[in-house]
Amino acid sequence: MVHTNYFHGYHCGFHPICVPSFCQHFFSYLLLQALEGPGEGRVLIVDGGDSDRCALVGDALADLAVKNNWKGIVVNGLIRDSEAISKMAVGVKALGTHPLKSDKAAADQGQQQVDVVISGCKISPGDWIYADWDGVVVSKKQLQ
């Protein structure tokens, strides 16, 4: 189980296949790249390393997720624009909020389609993500 403190977006739960991603602190280029692609109802996992120094996701990225059919974003870090995100048709779980945007300068940092570990829970590409107001559960197979 992954522990996150906040749920934003009016989808109070989501459970499609996830596409884990790794994101360096202060950096959102890989998020932009991933969210520009077809979401196909999946969940993007963002490992921000528990950073509390800036927000990794804001309303522009959440809006892109909606437009490209992403079901949700789970952020091991902070987000911004939470009021706007709360009205969007995408579920966003995060550790909290921060007003500072992330650094968009370095385009070669981070990895995609790799295993990530959040709160001691290993998440791999293709794992199933189940989320509600209280937290996130990760499963290797679809739960009934």
Side-chain angles (χ1 to χ4, degrees), residues 42-65:
R42 297 174 294 177
V43 176
L44 180 65
I45 307 297
V46 180
D47 185 4
D50 277 339
S51 175
D52 63 357
R53 297 185 66 186
C54 69
L56 295 174
V57 173
D59 62 347
L61 289 176
D63 187 54
L64 192 58

Side-chain angles (χ1 to χ4, degrees), residues 36-97:
E36 283 178 334
E40 300 170 342
R42 297 174 294 177
V43 176
L44 180 65
I45 307 297
V46 180
D47 185 4
D50 277 339
S51 175
D52 63 357
R53 297 185 66 186
C54 69
L56 295 174
V57 173
D59 62 347
L61 289 176
D63 187 54
L64 192 58
V66 172
K67 289 178 181 171
N68 290 317
N69 194 31
W70 288 88
K71 185 76 168 180
I73 305 170
V74 176
V75 184
N76 185 27
L78 307 176
I79 66 166
R80 63 191 310 260
D81 308 317
S82 60
E83 183 178 359
I85 290 172
S86 73
K87 298 171 184 156
M88 294 183 182
V90 62
V92 178
K93 293 286 288 182
L95 298 177
T97 61

Side-chain angles (χ1 to χ4, degrees), residues 124-137:
S124 301
D127 284 353
W128 288 79
I129 301 299
Y130 296 84
D132 65 14
W133 292 99
D134 296 322
V136 178
V137 174

